[in-house]
Amino acid sequence: FLYCVSIDIRAESSIIFIQALFRAYSARQIYEHSINKKLEKAALVVKEIYSSEQVYVSRLDLVLKLYIDPLSNRSKAISLGLSEEDVRHLFDVSLMKIIASFHRSEFLKELNINVDNWAKDQSIIKSFKLLIGFIKVYTQYINNFDNASLALKKLRESNLAFSNFLNENAAKPESNKLDLETLLIEPIQRIPRYQLLLKELLRNLPIHHPEYTILVQALNSVKEIASTINTRKAMALGRHAVVRVYSLIQPQTEVQDLIQPTRVLVHEGRLKQYYVDFDQMEGFYFYLFNDLLIKTKHNTIKFVTIDTKKFRQRWSLEGAEVHDNPDSRLPKAWKIKFGNGEQILIGGRTMEEKTEWLKHLHETLARSRQSFDINVRQGLQTKITNVI
């Protein structure tokens, strides 16, 4: 009897062991199938990186062929009524040639070698190592882009011969109906495109994949430049908004110095200002800049509001502080103390408005203090250097 029991136990153990092996094998098969599927998707992303890079390079070459090379010829530029300064404002010729050369002769060339069999036995590590080393060159292009766009807009509007030259080139079959403005923004748009493609590629690669670490480094490098692009876009929008505000405020003599190269509009909106013991309150429209707060009033003509603002007051934000209002009677209000000793109590219509305004105020004042500290340190360093 014991012998039979022993046989049954061994048989049962063998069955359990075989079942465990089968489950492990099945799990392994499922895992490998999942990995293979992801690698197939990753391979498609690599091919998309390559094919989109081909298009990008073709458009960079188009800028060189149709615009930069002809306008670098002084006789051609003169015939279009363009000075050397006009051409410099439109293009950083050497920078454009450097960017086009890198993408054509290095990055795309290296991708071309490895793209077809990437999933099996090829590597794109070298391609992205090249990109990591080069990507910061785009910072200079980004910094020049706003001025180049403005110069192009002005010349297109004021110079008929140049405008015709642009239209003729855009109409050529090789341009594929892309005008110069569209072509010049390609490098700006390419960076976020790299970011999206690298994210998708990493999402389909296991962490232990031999190319994972390098691709993460490439993504971080691209993110850094993308952040610069977003900051520049925000600053450009802020500067354009300053011009808009200047055109709205009357009399303009009160804000004749409003438009400054470093000044941007941060936030704006209607707020209530409270006076002694909260018994009096008046509505105003406030504009928050990175260094100023301006209070205005809606203009009215015979009880009809028009789209201009009457200037009321302005305050420098240097040395300013923001404090929440401790009085429970006005939970939506807050206090601003300015560097000249003046203070105001203002509030929003909702708690959400209050939260949004306080966020913008705190961030703006923090940046203002940081900028002031930097300027002080630089001034001290200059004085020390001069003494030495």
Side-chain angles (χ1 to χ4, degrees):
F1 173 76
L2 289 175
Y3 176 74
C4 291
V5 169
S6 176
I7 291 175
D8 288 343
I9 290 172
R10 286 200 300 272
E12 185 177 351
S13 297
S14 298
I15 292 169
I16 293 171
F17 178 70
I18 291 169
Q19 288 175 336
L21 284 176
F22 179 75
R23 283 195 297 270
Y25 174 78
S26 298
R28 180 68 183 177
Q29 290 292 102
I30 292 169
Y31 172 75
E32 287 181 355
H33 178 73
S34 172
I35 292 295
N36 288 335
K37 279 290 184 185
K38 284 197 166 189
L39 286 175
E40 287 175 11
K41 290 180 182 178
L44 291 175
V45 176
V46 170
K47 288 184 177 180
E48 173 61 21
I49 292 172
Y50 175 69
S51 61
S52 62
E53 188 69 13
Q54 286 180 306
V55 174
Y56 178 49
V57 167
S58 71
R59 291 178 178 176
L60 292 176
D61 286 340
L62 207 56
V63 176
L64 295 177
K65 178 184 176 182
L66 296 182
Y67 300 98
I68 289 182
D69 289 346
L71 296 178
S72 296
N73 183 315
R74 279 307 301 146
S75 60
K76 177 65 176 177
I78 290 170
S79 72
L80 295 172
L82 298 178
S83 66
E84 290 183 8
E85 188 178 9
D86 288 333
V87 176
R88 279 199 303 273
H89 286 160
L90 286 172
F91 311 107
D92 185 331
V93 174
S94 60
L95 182 62
M96 281 297 295
K97 288 183 176 179
I98 288 169
I99 290 174
S101 176
F102 167 78
H103 285 276
R104 182 196 321 107
S105 305
E106 296 186 54
F107 188 57
L108 181 61
K109 183 179 179 181
E110 190 62 36
L111 280 174
N112 183 48
I113 295 170
N114 299 304
V115 67
D116 289 335
N117 296 311
W118 174 79
K120 296 180 181 178
D121 54 5
Q122 298 294 333
S123 169
I124 57 169
I125 285 180
K126 187 176 178 182
S127 302
F128 280 96
K129 279 184 176 179
L130 289 171
L131 186 65
I132 291 169
F134 183 81
I135 197 76
K136 288 193 176 180
V137 171
Y138 274 82
T139 304
Q140 187 178 343
Y141 187 89
I142 294 162
N143 291 337
N144 293 339
F145 182 74
D146 286 346
N147 291 333
S149 298
L150 183 60
L152 179 56
K153 183 176 184 294
K154 287 181 177 178
L155 285 169
R156 185 185 276 279
E157 292 172 352
S158 63
N159 185 325
L160 181 59
F162 179 62
S163 180
N164 289 337
F165 167 77
L166 295 177
N167 293 336
E168 287 167 10
N169 277 332
K172 290 177 179 177
E174 59 196 304
S175 290
N176 198 24
K177 298 181 180 179
L178 298 174
D179 58 20
L180 181 56
E181 288 86 346
T182 303
L183 292 171
L184 288 180
I185 206 172
E186 283 282 330
I188 303 292
Q189 295 174 332
R190 188 60 183 161
I191 300 300
R193 181 69 173 153
Y194 284 138
Q195 187 174 350
L196 289 172
L197 289 168
L198 283 168
K199 278 183 178 178
E200 184 63 18
L201 181 55
L202 286 166
R203 196 170 67 85
N204 289 291
L205 283 184
I207 295 175
H208 60 266
H209 191 279
E211 306 201 351
Y212 191 89
T213 302
I214 291 295
L215 293 174
V216 168
Q217 290 176 20
L219 177 59
N220 289 336
S221 297
V222 169
K223 276 182 177 178
E224 186 178 336
I225 304 301
S227 176
T228 301
I229 290 172
N230 292 334
T231 301
R232 295 287 299 184
K233 283 181 180 177
M235 289 177 66
L237 289 172
R239 285 194 296 272
H240 294 157
V242 173
V243 176
R244 173 180 61 81
V245 174
Y246 173 77
S247 67
L248 289 176
I249 295 179
Q250 296 179 347
Q252 289 189 336
T253 52
E254 296 288 353
V255 289
Q256 59 185 1
D257 63 341
L258 185 63
I259 300 173
Q260 300 291 335
T262 58
R263 182 167 290 148
V264 296
L265 180 66
V266 176
H267 195 53
E268 62 180 285
R270 190 176 301 169
L271 296 172
K272 300 172 184 176
Q273 182 172 357
Y274 299 91
Y275 300 103
V276 183
D277 296 328
F278 313 149
D279 290 335
Q280 299 177 35
M281 177 273 295
E282 191 174 1
F284 294 98
Y285 200 90
F286 285 83
Y287 294 99
L288 174 65
F289 300 89
N290 57 318
D291 60 342
L292 286 176
L293 181 67
I294 293 182
K295 180 173 75 174
T296 67
K297 191 80 172 174
H298 284 291
N299 253 335
T300 56
I301 298 177
K302 293 183 179 181
F303 308 106
V304 177
T305 301
I306 57 177
D307 194 23
T308 57
K309 306 287 191 302
K310 286 183 181 179
F311 174 84
R312 283 292 180 261
Q313 203 166 357
R314 64 188 280 175
W315 299 271
S316 168
L317 295 182
E318 186 175 325
E321 298 176 358
V322 178
H323 301 280
D324 199 0
N325 178 41
D327 196 305
S328 59
R329 288 176 293 173
L330 294 175
K332 300 167 191 172
W334 63 92
K335 187 179 291 185
I336 304 177
K337 293 182 179 179
F338 298 100
N340 63 0
E342 192 175 352
Q343 60 184 30
I344 58 173
L345 182 66
I346 51 180
R349 289 168 292 183
T350 65
M351 290 303 293
E352 288 76 15
E353 271 190 353
K354 175 181 178 178
T355 301
E356 187 175 14
W357 269 97
L358 287 178
K359 174 180 176 291
H360 288 298
L361 281 163
H362 284 303
E363 289 176 353
T364 300
L365 293 179
R367 284 193 294 268
S368 178
R369 283 191 294 270
Q370 184 180 27
S371 177
F372 177 75
D373 290 343
I374 290 171
N375 290 337
V376 168
R377 284 197 298 270
Q378 288 176 342
L380 288 173
Q381 185 62 45
T382 301
K383 287 179 180 179
I384 292 168
T385 304
N386 291 338
V387 169
I388 293 172

